[in-house]
Amino acid sequence: MASIPADSLALQRLYHWERTAADRVILTQPLGATGGGELQTFTWAQVADQVRRMAAHLQAQGWEPGSRVAILSKNCAWWLMSDLAIWMAGYVSVPLYPTLAPDTIRQILTHSEAKACFIGKLDGWAGMKPGVPAGLPCISYKLSPDDAKNAYEGWDAICARTQPLGGEPLRGADELATLIYTSGTTGAPKGVMHSFANFAWALTAAIGRVPMGADDRLLSYLPLAHVVERVLVEHGWLRAGFSVYFADSLDTFAADLQRCRPTIFFSVPRLWVKFQQGVLHKMPQAKLDKLLRLPLIGGLVRRKIMKALGLDQCRVAAGGAAPMPVALLDWYRRLGLAVNEGYGMTENLAISHITIPGKNQTGTVGPAYDGVQTRIDPVSGELQMKSPAVMQGYFKEPELTRDAFTEDGWLRTGDKAALDASGCLRITGRVKDLFKTSKGKYVAPAPIEDKLMLHSAVEACVVTGANMGQPVGIVMLSADGIVASQDPAQREQLSAELNAHLKSINAHLDPHEQMDCLVAVKTPWTVDNGFITPTFKVKRNRVEEIYGPQLEGWVEQRKKVVFGD
């Protein structure tokens, strides 16, 4: 492990700002409809005081040092304070995505052996609540659903009756800080173990490539349970001391962005596309092209568009979690906004590669961060890497941990890659079947395919959709299914059955796993036409090669069941 300066660790950073910038406002939280649209701000002194009070409360529960405490909430000021309180009390935080299905919530809370859970700002609490084990102590926030606030003691009440923890309690650099659960190839979430030193080194590497300072502003809206938001926003905030603004909802996102006017802005490709679509809805591409070619008018148009997006103060823009289309990057560059593309994974705290600001490295994810070692396996083409930000392993999963590394200790990324002449990396595919949607979420297709196969009209299937908004199920109809699809009356009945089958499966999947539609194809998949191996396994790559170009068109039909060839 690389030498980590003690003053770069998370809690030490909090104490530093508490001492040196106590009165600086650093969190701006919209209170939504329940707060009459008002804002609540927090200074470093207020953050530290509330963290100390909550840490004292948690410590008073008498749990073993290193016990796990979960956070189930959308992004908000209390999310960050909960994380810090958990650490100050001597425990390990377990963030959960605020959109998980109840079965996944229960699985994570049980597997992590969580002693308690903060239940915060949530849109679908009624559906999630069954996933919280009966009797698990929970704490609500000011922005929690009313049902949660009625059931659990609130943050403010606990802080009001609890004296703050004194001194500057410290955690060791190599102590476990958090478990970040990510889907594995089996579909079961794996708890990625990261230490305080992992985060500290990751921030040093990140700031070396993308400088951050106390004068910067960031909008927090991607889930803090996601590794990029956790590193960039939470730990960037602690290291650099910049101001964090929180988004209230999808409906207010544009206004939230205008309020913040971020100087650093990260998003997934899907949102960058939505921004583009919003601009082109008001100004068709042909007209935009014409105006941009005019010397003076072009500059005015660029500034007006950036101001309308809330990005006129943005000095560093970045995309990641899934590949950014080259044409999209070029479109933004013409508007004067260079979007840097990054690459990483939960297992290395997303600190792997990123394009260098000011350089046109479009089509790649740039060179490795300083201190990151990489190599490409000559046989599989897999990118493998080492750095002090690489995980300690998977919680309670020694075999999976061993599988994640080569015999000589390099992390297996599972991504195929190639280096260009300038040392920039190009991601060319996946070594295994796990794929990412355009929202940056991993989807393990095998468990979903197992469910699809339960319908009698389905003989074989593949769930695909890398870089699309949602997965798509391609099902090869059985002989009886093919016959039914050719008769209008039977076809209508088959469509209704497959629609119900899809709905039933989606109901038990997390939002990012839910399929947009089922495409029922009649062409048999055989050994002769290359769809099936001699041992009768479906060749996923072949299916994606043949049907991939048609996927977007099928999805655009907006039908739950589409009949293909």
Side-chain angles (χ1 to χ4, degrees):
M1 174 65 70
S3 176
I4 304 294
D7 63 359
S8 67
L9 301 176
L11 285 174
Q12 283 87 327
R13 297 308 298 165
L14 174 65
Y15 304 142
H16 166 78
W17 297 118
E18 183 185 29
R19 291 191 303 269
T20 63
D23 296 330
R24 187 194 302 162
V25 174
I26 38 77
L27 298 179
T28 300
Q29 174 66 58
L31 297 179
T34 56
E38 293 182 5
L39 300 174
Q40 182 170 350
T41 60
F42 296 84
T43 63
W44 280 116
Q46 290 169 328
V47 166
D49 178 68
Q50 295 206 24
V51 167
R52 289 177 178 281
R53 291 173 187 274
M54 184 54 65
H57 170 76
L58 295 176
Q59 207 172 70
Q61 307 312 303
W63 302 319
E64 291 275 335
S67 292
R68 275 71 60 197
V69 179
I71 306 172
L72 175 60
S73 174
K74 294 172 70 175
N75 299 15
C76 61
W78 295 274
W79 200 112
L80 296 181
M81 292 190 287
S82 296
D83 211 12
L84 288 164
I86 291 166
W87 291 335
M88 192 182 289
Y91 304 133
V92 175
S93 61
V94 183
L96 282 76
Y97 280 96
T99 53
L100 291 178
D103 290 349
T104 308
I105 292 172
R106 181 175 294 275
Q107 187 177 25
I108 292 173
L109 292 176
T110 302
H111 184 267
S112 67
E113 302 173 39
K115 296 292 188 181
C117 185
F118 289 93
I119 305 295
K121 183 181 179 184
L122 296 165
D123 292 332
W125 169 238
M128 299 175 188
K129 188 176 180 180
V132 179
L136 183 72
C138 294
I139 296 169
S140 65
Y141 297 158
K142 178 182 290 189
L143 297 180
S144 298
D146 288 342
D147 187 28
K149 285 192 284 191
N150 292 334
Y152 312 123
E153 188 172 14
W155 175 283
D156 289 346
I158 291 172
C159 287
R161 64 173 171 76
T162 307
Q163 289 301 306
L165 201 61
E168 295 188 354
L170 301 178
R171 302 290 296 276
D174 293 329
E175 276 191 68
L176 182 62
T178 192
L179 302 180
I180 305 178
Y181 276 83
T182 183
S183 296
T185 54
T186 63
K190 296 176 293 186
V192 177
M193 299 188 290
H194 278 297
S195 68
F196 292 99
N198 287 153
F199 281 108
W201 188 89
L203 258 296
T204 299
I207 291 174
R209 184 67 56 87
V210 181
M212 308 174 196
D215 292 333
D216 281 311
R217 299 183 300 278
L218 278 79
L219 180 68
S220 181
Y221 67 99
L222 295 172
L224 276 162
H226 189 280
V227 65
V228 174
E229 192 82 354
R230 193 88 177 281
V231 172
L232 176 64
V233 173
E234 181 184 34
H235 288 269
W237 167 67
L238 289 168
R239 175 66 67 88
F242 52 62
S243 297
V244 175
Y245 292 70
F246 293 94
D248 186 36
S249 67
L250 281 176
D251 292 339
T252 66
F253 184 77
D256 296 328
L257 198 52
Q258 290 286 344
R259 178 187 301 116
C260 176
R261 309 306 277 273
T263 57
I264 300 173
F265 184 73
F266 174 88
S267 191
V268 294
R270 193 167 182 82
L271 187 59
W272 286 115
V273 170
K274 284 187 177 296
F275 283 168
Q276 179 193 44
Q277 291 172 340
V279 171
L280 296 180
H281 179 72
K282 295 180 179 179
M283 185 183 298
Q285 187 68 58
K287 182 178 179 181
L288 179 60
D289 290 340
K290 183 178 179 180
L291 292 175
L292 291 178
R293 285 194 293 267
L294 301 175
L296 294 177
I297 299 298
L300 291 172
V301 169
R302 290 183 180 93
R303 288 193 292 274
K304 184 176 181 180
I305 290 174
M306 286 299 107
K307 188 171 184 179
L309 291 175
L311 297 176
D312 56 313
Q313 301 295 313
C314 184
R315 62 177 184 83
V316 178
M324 293 278 286
V326 171
L328 185 66
L329 293 169
D330 289 342
W331 188 86
Y332 277 102
R333 185 172 287 106
R334 291 189 63 213
L335 290 177
L337 185 68
V339 181
N340 295 96
E341 187 165 12
Y343 164 78
M345 55 197 298
T346 306
E347 286 82 351
N348 58 29
L349 284 179
I351 300 299
S352 181
H353 292 71
I354 191 170
T355 54
I356 298 174
K359 291 192 177 183
N360 186 353
Q361 297 170 332
T362 301
T364 78
V365 291
Y369 284 92
D370 291 343
V372 173
Q373 298 174 265
T374 61
R375 72 184 187 188
I376 296 175
D377 184 271
V379 178
S380 66
E382 180 186 43
L383 175 68
Q384 298 168 355
M385 61 87 66
K386 279 184 177 181
S387 86
V390 170
M391 68 174 180
Q392 295 179 331
Y394 296 119
F395 186 58
K396 298 197 297 189
E397 300 285 359
E399 289 186 13
L400 290 177
T401 299
R402 282 194 295 272
D403 290 344
F405 293 89
T406 63
E407 290 186 3
D408 56 348
W410 292 69
L411 176 67
R412 301 179 187 273
T413 67
D415 286 307
K416 291 185 178 182
L419 285 170
D420 67 14
S422 64
C424 292
L425 191 76
R426 296 178 186 274
I427 304 298
T428 59
R430 288 289 297 171
V431 175
K432 294 185 179 180
D433 297 333
L434 204 66
F435 64 88
K436 271 184 182 178
T437 66
S438 64
K439 299 172 183 174
K441 297 291 192 69
Y442 278 115
V443 174
I448 306 174
E449 290 162 354
D450 289 343
K451 294 180 175 68
L452 282 174
M453 290 297 296
L454 296 176
H455 195 284
S456 59
V458 177
E459 185 168 315
C461 68
V462 163
V463 172
T464 186
N467 307 323
M468 296 179 63
Q470 294 292 137
V472 173
I474 303 176
V475 299
M476 188 198 91
L477 294 173
S478 64
D480 289 341
I482 292 173
V483 171
S485 70
Q486 293 170 341
D487 177 82
Q490 292 185 63
R491 181 185 179 115
E492 186 174 342
Q493 182 179 344
L494 175 61
S495 179
E497 289 180 6
L498 290 175
N499 196 346
H501 188 47
L502 173 66
K503 185 176 181 180
S504 174
I505 294 171
N506 278 345
H508 294 88
L509 298 175
D510 289 332
H512 69 280
E513 299 174 312
Q514 293 172 3
M515 292 168 282
D516 246 343
C517 66
L518 289 184
V519 179
V521 298
K522 301 188 289 288
T523 301
W525 297 349
T526 67
V527 174
D528 290 339
N529 64 19
F531 283 90
I532 302 292
T533 69
T535 55
F536 299 103
K537 294 178 182 176
V538 176
K539 292 185 178 180
R540 185 179 304 275
N541 290 347
R542 174 67 171 164
V543 172
E544 292 176 341
E545 174 190 352
I546 299 301
Y547 297 112
Q550 303 175 69
L551 290 178
E552 292 285 359
W554 283 328
V555 170
E556 286 173 3
Q557 292 184 34
R558 297 291 182 263
K559 296 179 181 178
K560 287 302 180 183
V561 177
V562 178
F563 288 90
D565 295 326

